Amino acid sequence: MYFYVDESGHTGPNLFDEAQPILYYGVLSSKINLDAAAEGRVKKIRKKLGVKRLHASELGNGKLVTIVKDIESLRKRYDLRFDIYRVAKVDHALISFFDQVFDQGMNPAVPWTSYWTPMRYVLLLKLASLFDEELLKAAWAARINLKTDEANASLVDICNTLISRVNSLPDERSRQVITDSLTWAAANPDEIYYNVKSKKDLLQITPNLIGFQSVMHGIASRLLKNGKAASQIIVDQQSQFNTAQKKLSDFYAKGRDLPLVNGPGLPEIDFSGMPETPISCTAGTDSTGLELVDIYLWVFKRFMDEKELAPELFSLIKGQLHRGHTDEVSINAIASRWSKWFEELPDPTDEQMEKGKEMLRMDEERRLLAVNGNA
């Protein structure tokens, strides 16, 4: 199989850009090489539009409307599948704080059951209610501060501020766990290893790499479902993150046969199905597949961001219903997966825990990579 990967909404470590609050990854998959098979047909589309390359943001609603039937024809002819993945950047700052400060391996004040069971996600949601935007900005600034003394001083202030807000939580157990955990972190900031130590480490905790984890899992899912191997994985070339993306894909390939043991009620960290084919970073001007995924990503992003989208372009979205995959890293996504479950099942049985394992798998693997990236 062939995969073509593009991203949109990139702001690097700046998570609080109101103009681009969500990072998107789009993946177009095909059983044949689009760069070879579809080049002739895409060349005709370019000629029709009078452009050297199909770039959706330059074409806009007006010109894209004129090629909808051409794109739909390509989808049917080559059985194109489009998957889209999102990372809410502000929420990523919160999740990153939690993963580092409440890691029971570093913070002994965190109860074992509060971290190594699905209760971790209940604790995360409780903690989220204590943050406001100003405090979250401070937490992220400390996280990416290369000066450890400054970062630790900020961490202490942040923990103490959160402690002062704990009484707003309705249940005594959450108040106790969060207070004890934050108190220990404030007293022992050097043991938390909160901030990154180099620019290289910083790349590992940006939304770009978190989103790329979803991309790799989506590719693995398609390969397993189709019983195929990856012939090529073409990623849009850009200087800042391609090296980190390659390292992540290599990490997954090496771990595909080594499931990692987790806590009770939590799934194994399973990388089976991960492609062994190295990713190829290619300029968008040199790949027909990247031109096509750019169009799909632009249309889906406009729709999800509730921006103006020509009615004719909805056929591209409709054409992927029940065909594409999607995933989202955000507090709302975690809440929708877990809040209702725990409200209905305050004391879940082993059987009910088993049913919830699949929901946890992606969240767990993201946490593992985030923590290891700063170890």
Side-chain angles (χ1 to χ4, degrees), residues 1 31 81 218-228 273 322-325:
M1 294 189 69
K31 294 179 182 178
R81 311 276 173 145
I219 289 174
S221 176
R222 288 220 172 269
L223 294 176
L224 289 171
K225 182 178 180 179
N226 289 278
K228 303 285 185 179
H322 311 300
R323 296 165 62 85
H325 298 158

Side-chain angles (χ1 to χ4, degrees), residues 154-352:
S154 295
L155 176 61
V156 171
D157 290 341
I158 292 162
C159 289
N160 287 332
T161 300
L162 290 170
I163 291 170
S164 72
R165 301 175 179 179
V166 164
N167 285 335
S168 65
L169 297 176
D171 61 296
E172 182 179 351
R173 180 55 178 164
S174 293
R175 292 196 296 269
Q176 179 185 353
V177 170
I178 291 176
T179 297
D180 290 349
S181 302
L182 292 172
T183 299
W184 192 92
N188 302 276
D190 286 326
E191 302 300 318
I192 295 297
Y193 302 101
Y194 184 68
N195 66 311
V196 295
K197 302 302 186 287
S198 69
K199 292 182 178 180
K200 179 181 175 181
D201 292 337
L202 172 58
L203 293 179
Q204 301 297 323
I205 65 167
T206 58
N208 301 69
L209 265 291
I210 300 302
F212 199 69
Q213 292 180 40
S214 297
V215 168
M216 294 303 298
H217 281 282
I219 289 174
S221 176
R222 288 220 172 269
L223 294 176
L224 289 171
K225 182 178 180 179
N226 289 278
K228 303 285 185 179
S231 298
Q232 277 189 307
I233 302 172
I234 308 296
V235 178
D236 191 30
Q237 187 177 69
Q238 42 85 12
S239 59
Q240 191 172 8
F241 290 98
N242 284 156
T243 299
Q245 289 168 336
K246 287 180 178 179
K247 289 184 178 180
L248 180 62
S249 66
D250 291 343
F251 173 87
Y252 279 136
K254 292 175 182 177
R256 55 183 280 133
D257 298 320
L258 299 171
L260 303 178
V261 177
N262 217 333
L266 297 175
E268 286 185 337
I269 306 301
D270 183 10
F271 299 150
S272 62
M274 285 291 174
E276 297 180 280
T277 304
I279 67 173
S280 299
C281 300
T282 304
T285 52
D286 298 330
S287 171
T288 299
L290 288 179
E291 288 183 80
L292 295 175
V293 72
D294 176 82
I295 291 174
Y296 273 103
L297 180 56
W298 189 88
V299 170
F300 271 75
K301 182 178 184 293
R302 297 281 294 190
F303 172 71
M304 290 180 167
D305 287 346
E306 299 182 352
K307 293 183 178 180
E308 180 185 2
L309 188 66
E312 295 88 342
L313 296 178
F314 280 90
S315 65
L316 298 183
I317 297 174
K318 183 178 179 181
Q320 292 297 332
L321 291 179
H322 311 300
R323 296 165 62 85
H325 298 158
T326 187
D327 185 48
E328 178 177 319
V329 180
S330 70
I331 292 299
N332 285 339
I334 291 173
S336 66
R337 285 195 285 267
W338 292 103
S339 291
K340 185 176 180 181
W341 190 65
F342 274 106
E343 286 172 4
E344 294 179 351
L345 302 169
D347 187 21
T349 65
D350 290 343
E351 180 181 358
Q352 290 160 342

Side-chain angles (χ1 to χ4, degrees), residues 132-144:
D132 55 30
E133 184 174 335
E134 181 180 356
L135 193 61
L136 202 51
K137 285 181 177 179
W140 181 248
R143 186 84 166 95
I144 64 176

Side-chain angles (χ1 to χ4, degrees), residues 10-75:
H10 160 56
T11 55
N14 177 18
L15 305 190
F16 296 88
D17 182 350
E18 294 182 1
Q20 299 190 86
I22 307 291
L23 176 77
Y24 288 84
Y25 270 102
V27 183
L28 195 67
S29 59
S30 172
K31 294 179 182 178
I32 64 171
N33 183 353
L34 295 177
D35 290 348
E39 170 61 22
R41 290 175 174 81
V42 172
K43 186 175 182 180
K44 292 179 180 178
I45 299 174
R46 297 188 202 115
K47 184 177 181 180
K48 178 179 179 179
L49 294 171
V51 298
K52 293 182 179 180
R53 178 180 180 267
L54 303 181
H55 198 293
S57 64
E58 296 175 359
L59 297 173
N61 279 283
K63 290 186 177 181
L64 285 175
V65 164
T66 67
I67 62 169
V68 166
K69 291 183 179 179
D70 299 297
I71 301 299
E72 276 292 276
S73 177
L74 290 171
R75 176 187 66 79

